[in-house]
Amino acid sequence: MGKLQATLVFTEALINGVLVGGVYALVGTGMALVFGVMRFINLCHGELVMVGMYLGWGLFTVAGVDPCLSALICLPPLFWAGRGLYRLVVRPLERSREQSQVLLTLGLGLVLSNAALLIFSGDYLAVYTAYSDLVLKAGPLRVSVPYLLAFALACVFTLGVWAWLFLTAAGRSIRATAQHREAALAAGIDTGRVSSLTFGLGTALAGAAGCLLLPVYYLHPGIGGLLTGKAFVVVVLGGMGSCVGAALGGLLLGAAESLGAVYLSAAWKDAIGLLAFLLVLVLRPSGLVGRSRV
Amino acid sequence: MLEVELLRAGYGPVEVVCGVSLRVGTGETVALVGSNGAGKSTLLRAVAGLVPLIGGTISFEGQRLDGLPPHRRLEMGLGYVPEGHPVFPFMTVQENLELGAMAPRARAHRRRNLDRVMELFPVLGRRRRALAGTLSGGEQRMLAIARGLVGEPRLLLLDEPSFGLAPLVLARIYRCLAEVGPSGVGLLLAEQHVARALSLARRGYVLSQGRVVLEGGSEELLGHPQVRRAYLGL
Ligand SMILES: Nc1ncnc2c1ncn2[C@@H]1O[C@H](COP(=O)(O)OP(=O)(O)OP(=O)(O)O)[C@@H](O)[C@H]1O
Ligand SMILES: [Mg+2]
């Protein structure tokens, strides 16, 4: 392999990794928000991403809707589904110990993935759009168009959430609650409503990310657990509950996985993330951007 | 204005406040003193609605508060400043204060109240663009109190405004609190710093192991042999 060739392989792997990482960032942002406000790790976050994937697949298969459009379409129903889920099952456990909430979300994840198995069977599904095989050529570099599109939209969603968090009254009360819950209560913020909003928002973002992941991953009922693991790694890399951190963590995980797949082995791809995760935990236990929250 | 009858509260099965009765009149400053772990914070949290009652009743301006969430109590004019440094560290001083004035009750007087607390604590006005987390401990305490005040309370529950502060800062905060009383805002002041609290308040309650063991005028309490021995080290 010539030197130029080697550089090319590296650059392409890096670009692909960062593109997928953009979607990971969106997945992680949802989990980081929920963790920031509610102080528990939502272990069904990946399964919620999976729900978004099935929605996007269904809309495409039945009505020919492009997954990018589905990412937008599924925001409102998943937002309300998330709020419903919070009201019905998460909230009743609010005053109990945090382990019980973690276990609850683990159970919810099992219910969701088994429901998917029941409805869709264990088949691997994929979405082929007109542009699925399109490649953008920049000199010798080749970049997949669906990846590029997924990345661009994930960035729009992530930046949109940041803007919403910083510019609206509801967003400010979410940030306040994440930064100091008791002070938020003292300032007259209805933290019950904030939690419900946050869980709804986290669910909606998970769903949108699911639609954007359709060009990247085959869809099957077991993918939720894998994605929960990735989301968790992203959130911890970013320093628990920090949105900017989650975005950086997502990009880093994407790049690490992609480079690992090229230079080590594709079979190791999912383990690379965990390795990066351990490395950060050992070297910088507070995450990439410290403790700064939302 | 505030009437607490035989209030019992705690965490899970542990009862920390065991039947406390107290009252605060309109615009009155009242001290709630007691040593570490006496249950002062728990009592204030129960009144503010942050911990559920096990028993007893709380009325504010003639209305029962049972089961009302904290934001509804604030809307009635019952403000609360938690212990420690209860500020939003990654927001500016200005944003912290604005959040305190967001409730419908406070919004109408927002401008005036913001100006007033900046006057009361000039350092907050100077550092309004700084992140609250970068303020010193004393400044964060001032910010928390100021945020309580812009909520337009009729009564403010203050948890240990002196805790962990250098004597000079502490004196400054107490001077400001002395200005709050005459403006018609009632204060219920939980303190370990017994002498300080009783010198500001007209009346006080001494709490020990979740019960009121003494109550009376400040002079009377300061002169009481039990208080002098247990809390003033005399
Ligand atoms: N969140 C909590 N969960 C369980 N027990 C608690 C909690 N907070 C306080 N306690 C217990 O309740 C008792 C009273 O605590 P509280 O904070 O009300 O006392 P305090 O008078 O405010 O003391 P301090 O002067 O230290 O602030 C203590 O024994 C404490 O261990
Ligand atoms: Mg206390």
Side-chain angles (χ1 to χ4, degrees):
Chain A
M1 205 158 44
K3 193 162 178 205
L4 183 69
Q5 185 68 24
T7 323
L8 212 58
V9 167
F10 176 81
T11 316
E12 274 189 8
L14 188 65
I15 290 177
N16 274 330
V18 168
L19 292 183
V20 176
V23 187
Y24 289 170
L26 185 58
V27 177
T29 300
M31 192 191 246
L33 267 177
V34 169
F35 178 80
V37 168
M38 295 191 238
R39 300 278 115 194
F40 68 85
I41 282 288
N42 178 8
L43 285 182
C44 67
H45 196 71
E47 278 80 1
L48 296 172
V49 176
M50 177 199 74
V51 169
M53 290 179 86
Y54 275 111
L55 274 177
W57 176 83
L59 280 170
F60 179 79
T61 312
V62 173
V65 182
D66 189 279
C68 294
L69 190 58
S70 300
L72 267 179
I73 293 176
C74 73
L75 283 178
L78 283 178
F79 174 73
W80 288 105
R83 292 192 76 167
L85 209 58
Y86 172 77
R87 270 287 143 77
L88 289 178
V89 291
V90 183
R91 183 172 195 154
L93 283 186
E94 195 131 80
R95 284 200 187 273
S96 62
R97 286 188 233 156
E98 60 189 288
Q99 299 98 295
S100 35
Q101 287 181 317
V102 175
L103 285 178
L104 170 83
T105 60
L106 192 68
L108 270 178
L110 286 175
V111 169
L112 287 175
S113 56
N114 281 296
L117 189 63
L118 204 67
I119 300 171
F120 300 99
S121 82
D123 293 344
Y124 279 57
L125 306 171
V127 166
Y128 286 107
T129 56
Y131 54 86
S132 272
D133 300 319
L134 226 57
V135 179
L136 203 70
K137 295 195 182 92
L141 279 179
R142 301 156 57 83
V143 180
S144 145
V145 168
Y147 276 37
L148 209 57
L149 214 57
F151 175 78
L153 278 171
C155 288
V156 169
F157 279 113
T158 306
L159 293 176
V161 172
W162 286 358
W164 185 81
L165 282 173
F166 277 83
L167 299 178
T168 67
R172 265 195 291 275
S173 32
I174 287 182
R175 286 170 55 223
T177 308
Q179 289 177 25
H180 201 304
R181 191 180 191 90
E182 203 168 47
L185 284 164
I189 291 171
D190 182 351
T191 54
R193 188 170 160 270
V194 164
S195 295
S196 157
L197 264 181
T198 308
F199 206 82
L201 189 64
T203 307
L205 292 179
C211 293
L212 298 180
L213 278 176
L214 279 174
V216 182
Y217 280 105
Y218 281 107
L219 170 56
H220 60 98
I223 198 167
L226 182 77
L227 291 172
T228 295
K230 289 192 197 301
F232 183 56
V233 170
V234 166
V235 170
V236 176
L237 282 180
M240 301 304 273
S242 152
C243 278
V244 180
L248 286 180
L251 296 179
L252 187 77
L253 177 66
E257 278 188 1
S258 173
L259 290 175
V262 168
Y263 291 104
L264 296 173
S265 136
W268 276 72
K269 180 174 153 255
D270 294 320
I272 301 294
L274 292 175
L275 217 66
F277 172 70
L278 285 179
L279 223 60
V280 168
L281 276 190
V282 171
L283 299 177
R284 265 193 77 104
S286 57
L288 294 174
V289 291
R291 250 174 31 78
S292 120
R293 290 198 197 124
V294 207
Chain B
M1 180 159 47
L2 176 74
E3 288 175 40
V4 174
E5 297 284 345
L6 295 171
L7 180 137
R8 298 188 297 134
Y11 306 92
V14 187
E15 197 171 311
V16 172
V17 177
C18 329
V20 168
S21 301
L22 58 80
R23 54 180 57 232
V24 182
T26 305
E28 197 183 16
T29 298
V30 173
L32 177 66
V33 298
S35 54
N36 211 313
K40 308 179 292 293
S41 300
T42 308
L43 177 56
L44 292 197
R45 279 197 201 112
V47 174
L50 273 67
V51 296
L53 300 194
I54 298 173
T57 61
I58 307 169
S59 327
F60 183 64
E61 312 242 57
Q63 268 180 288
R64 291 277 294 266
L65 295 184
D66 319 30
L68 277 188
H71 64 276
R72 297 278 302 281
R73 300 184 193 207
L74 184 70
E75 199 46 45
M76 293 170 65
L78 182 59
Y80 167 57
V81 180
E83 65 189 327
H85 302 291
V87 299
F88 308 119
F90 305 110
M91 295 191 194
T92 63
V93 168
Q94 177 87 23
E95 285 173 310
N96 267 269
L97 291 175
E98 277 170 0
L99 271 170
M102 226 169 48
R105 170 193 182 84
R107 220 175 289 152
H109 313 284
R110 199 172 135 251
R111 247 317 11 114
R112 185 199 50 175
N113 284 336
L114 285 178
D115 288 345
R116 207 163 59 195
V117 296
M118 300 273 189
E119 211 172 286
L120 193 59
F121 302 105
V123 63
L124 297 182
R126 284 199 300 277
R127 306 211 53 194
R128 66 205 300 166
R129 307 244 161 269
L131 290 186
T134 65
L135 301 184
S136 72
E139 289 165 351
Q140 291 190 16
R141 194 69 53 79
M142 292 178 203
L143 177 56
I145 296 171
R147 193 190 51 223
L149 287 172
V150 297
E152 187 74 15
R154 304 260 295 134
L155 171 66
L156 193 59
L157 311 170
L158 266 176
D159 201 349
E160 303 231 29
S162 75
F163 185 75
L165 295 185
L168 270 179
V169 185
L170 187 159
R172 207 154 93 222
I173 286 185
Y174 263 84
R175 269 203 306 282
C176 295
L177 289 180
E179 285 179 42
V180 171
S183 68
V185 180
L187 289 179
L188 179 57
L189 198 63
E191 268 290 7
Q192 275 190 62
H193 204 306
V194 176
R196 266 285 172 207
L198 286 176
S199 66
L200 181 67
R202 216 169 46 79
R203 292 192 302 118
Y205 296 85
V206 179
L207 206 61
S208 173
Q209 300 190 351
R211 290 189 172 75
V212 173
V213 289
L214 276 174
E215 59 175 288
S218 295
E219 311 269 294
E220 185 190 338
L221 286 179
L222 281 170
H224 197 285
Q226 201 178 330
V227 174
R228 289 167 68 90
R229 202 169 350 101
Y231 302 105
L232 303 176
L234 298 172

